Amino acid sequence: MTQISLLKDKHILLGVTGSIACYKIVDLASKLTQAGAKVDVILTKAAQKFVTPLAFQSVTGRKAYVDLWNEDAHVLHIGLGETADLFVVAPCTADTMAKLAHGRADNLLTITALAARCPMLLAPAMDGGMWDHPATQANLETLQQRGVMFAGPAEGRMASGLKGKGRLVEPIDLVGHIRLAFAKQQPLAGRHVVVTAGGTQEAIDPVRFISNHSSGKQGIAIAQAALDAGACVTLITGPTAAARPTPVGAERINITSTLDLQQATLAACKTADVLVMAAAVADYRTANPAEQKIKRAQMSDLSVQLVENPDITVSVAEQKQALGKPNITIGFAAESQNLLENAQRKLAKKSLDLIVGNDISAKDAGFFVDTNRVILIDKDGKIERLPLQSKVAVAEAVIDWVIEASVTQ
Ligand code: CTP
C-alpha cells in the first residue's frame, strides 16, 4: 500500500513526446523503477531529439522503444498495450494530444495507445498559449469524456520565457498522480479520511509561540498511505508540517493554534469515515497573547498565564454522538514513560478505536528521525508491537488496520 508496494510489479507504459521537458522524464522513469514498477518507454522521433533511448534504458533496465519496426515483435504495439496496467504520456505535446483525441495512429506511441485497453494518464507540456487554444481545449474535453486522466499542466515560467499554463508537472508530483491512478481500485475508494499532522502553535506575542517538536512526517505519511488505499483525504497541518509538500490528491488545510485545529477537524469530520489524529496538540494556550512584540526590557519579570485547550478527540466523540461520524477515530500517544498504561488510558478517555503509541525516549524513533517503533492498541484490548521501521511503513500498518476494520463494519 505504501510508496513502494502500490507501484510494485505494475507495468507502466511511458510514452515520451517532443518537448524540452522530456529531459525530466528520465527522472520519472527512474523514480517509478525504484518504486518497483516495470517501465517500458516509447519515444517519438521528436522526443529523441531531446533525449536518447539509452538514457531511459539505463534507468529502467528495460528496452526503450522507438518508431522502428524491428525483430522484437511483429505486432509490438499489441504486445506493449496488452500487458500495460497504465499508459502514461509525459510530456504530452499538443500534437500528440490531438492525435490521441482523434484516434490517429502514425507512430509507435499512438498506435500502441489505440491498441491498449488500460487507463491512460497524460501530462501535457506546451508553450506559448497552445494549452489555452480552443483546439487543444476541445481535444482535452474529448479525451476526458473518454476517461483519460490528466496531470497538469502547471502554471509558471515556460522554456520560451513566457509565463502561463503549460509547464510539465514535476516528476515527483507525476509519481503522485500515477499513484492516484492506481489507487482508484484500492479498498478505501469512496471513503473520506481526515488526517491531522504536525504541532500546533500558541502565540505569546507576534513573534514568539509555545509549540512542540512534531515535524508532521508521520501524519503526512499516513495521508499518503490513505491516498494509496484509494481514500479521499483531508490533511490538516500545523505550521511545521505546512512546510512539507502536500501529497498529490489530498485537500490541504493549514492551521496554527489548537482552537484552529479543533474547528477545522470538527468541520472535516462531519463527512469523514476515518479520523487519524497524528497532530501533536498544545494542551494549553496563552491567556492573553500580546498584540505587540514584547521587548527585552519587559521580559525580566514576564510570566505567561496559560488556559487549557479543549481535547479535540473528546469534542470529535461528542460530535459523533449527534452525527454518527467519523466511524473510526485513531489517536497517537507519544510517551516518555509507561507507554502501554498511558496509551491504554488515552484510548478509553478519548473514545478511540485505535491508539498508536510510541516511546519518545528512544533515539531511533519518534521526533527528528524518519523511523518509528510503535504499538497498536485497539478498543478490544488487542495489542500489536511493530518493529522499528520507517514512518512510511508505520503509516501503511495504520491504514491496513483501517482497511480491515472498515471491511468488518
Ligand atoms: N489530542 C487532542 N486534543 C488535545 C490533545 C491531544 O485531540 N488537546 C490528541 C492527539 O492528537 C493524540 C492524542 O490526543 O492523538 C493523544 O495526545 P497526547 O498529547 O499524547 O495526550 P494528552 O491528552 O495531551 O495527554 P498528556 O498530555 O497527559 O500526555
Side-chain angles (χ1 to χ4, degrees):
M1 207 63 57
T2 60
Q3 198 159 359
I4 299 144
S5 55
L6 183 72
L7 297 181
K8 190 156 173 16
D9 295 329
K10 291 291 186 311
H11 182 197
I12 299 174
L13 261 185
L14 181 56
V16 184
T17 72
S19 147
I20 175 59
C22 61
Y23 79 92
K24 296 183 178 178
I25 299 305
V26 180
D27 185 29
L28 174 66
S30 169
K31 285 185 162 62
L32 295 174
T33 305
Q34 286 174 46
K38 290 181 275 178
V39 185
D40 280 331
V41 177
I42 304 176
L43 293 101
T44 62
K45 276 204 182 74
Q48 290 170 68
K49 297 206 167 130
F50 296 103
V51 276
T52 63
L54 182 63
F56 286 102
Q57 282 170 199
S58 306
V59 295
T60 63
R62 297 167 73 88
K63 184 172 164 56
Y65 298 90
V66 294
D67 280 343
L68 299 174
W69 293 101
N70 58 24
E71 68 286 355
D72 283 343
H74 174 56
V75 278
L76 184 59
H77 55 292
I78 307 283
L80 286 174
E82 250 180 10
T83 54
D85 298 307
L86 181 69
F87 197 154
V88 180
V89 184
C92 185
T93 58
D95 182 45
T96 296
M97 248 182 87
K99 286 178 182 169
L100 295 171
H102 295 278
R104 294 279 309 275
D106 65 346
N107 62 38
L108 183 61
L109 190 157
T110 48
I111 295 175
T112 309
L114 270 190
R117 292 291 170 264
C118 61
M120 178 172 249
L121 172 71
L122 305 185
M126 54 196 77
D127 209 331
M130 290 159 79
W131 175 254
D132 296 323
H133 193 282
T136 308
Q137 290 300 304
N139 292 333
L140 169 69
E141 209 180 311
T142 304
L143 290 162
Q144 280 179 326
Q145 275 171 4
R146 224 179 272 154
V148 173
M149 296 169 278
F150 279 79
E155 286 214 40
R157 187 189 178 280
M158 293 178 287
S160 64
L162 291 173
K163 285 198 176 130
K165 207 164 184 190
R167 275 177 66 87
L168 180 76
V169 168
E170 291 302 323
I172 186 76
D173 290 331
L174 284 178
V175 175
H177 284 275
I178 290 167
R179 288 164 71 158
L180 274 186
F182 283 115
K184 285 182 195 296
Q185 333 298 337
Q186 298 297 315
L188 294 187
R191 307 289 177 114
H192 180 200
V193 176
V194 176
V195 183
T196 67
T200 58
Q201 289 180 357
E202 304 298 343
I204 297 172
D205 71 6
V207 287
R208 303 175 182 93
F209 54 81
I210 301 169
S211 192
N212 54 65
H213 289 307
S214 172
S215 66
K217 279 184 190 165
Q218 186 63 77
I220 291 176
I222 288 172
Q224 181 63 69
L227 285 164
D228 284 355
C232 162
V233 173
T234 304
L235 174 60
I236 308 174
T237 45
T240 46
R244 297 181 187 279
T246 307
V248 173
E251 182 206 8
R252 177 77 168 254
I253 300 171
N254 291 331
I255 55 88
T256 304
S257 68
T258 298
L259 290 179
D260 297 343
L261 178 62
Q262 183 188 37
Q263 196 183 30
T265 305
L266 287 174
C269 278
K270 286 182 181 160
T271 56
D273 298 294
V274 181
L275 167 66
V276 185
M277 279 295 296
V281 184
D283 288 322
Y284 282 80
R285 66 181 181 278
T286 44
N288 301 300
E291 276 182 27
Q292 305 302 330
K293 182 182 173 189
I294 302 168
K295 304 306 283 178
R296 178 199 287 249
Q298 300 168 282
M299 283 200 183
S300 56
D301 58 353
L302 179 73
S303 73
V304 178
Q305 203 197 334
L306 300 175
V307 287
E308 195 172 359
N309 271 327
D311 187 315
I312 299 172
T313 52
V314 170
S315 56
V316 166
E318 282 162 12
Q319 180 171 280
K320 184 177 173 175
Q321 297 277 324
L323 304 180
K325 294 268 181 186
N327 303 11
I328 294 172
T329 306
I330 298 176
F332 275 71
E335 304 293 338
S336 56
Q337 55 187 347
N338 304 330
L339 174 60
L340 190 60
E341 296 81 339
N342 281 328
Q344 280 166 328
R345 185 177 47 79
K346 286 178 189 176
L347 177 83
K349 184 182 152 213
K350 295 165 186 276
S351 313
L352 303 172
D353 297 282
L354 180 78
I355 193 153
V356 183
N358 71 307
D359 177 357
I360 53 162
S361 63
K363 289 266 172 300
D364 51 4
F367 299 132
F368 313 120
V369 290
D370 289 332
T371 46
N372 222 346
R373 187 186 294 103
V374 302
I375 51 173
L376 305 184
I377 309 167
D378 73 18
K379 64 171 189 282
D380 301 326
K382 194 172 151 217
I383 299 173
E384 192 181 348
R385 287 176 194 276
L386 302 181
L388 181 71
Q389 52 190 344
S390 68
K391 288 184 176 172
V392 170
V394 170
E396 178 183 7
V398 171
I399 293 301
D400 279 347
W401 187 92
V402 170
I403 293 169
E404 251 178 63
S406 310
V407 168
T408 52
Q409 267 186 4

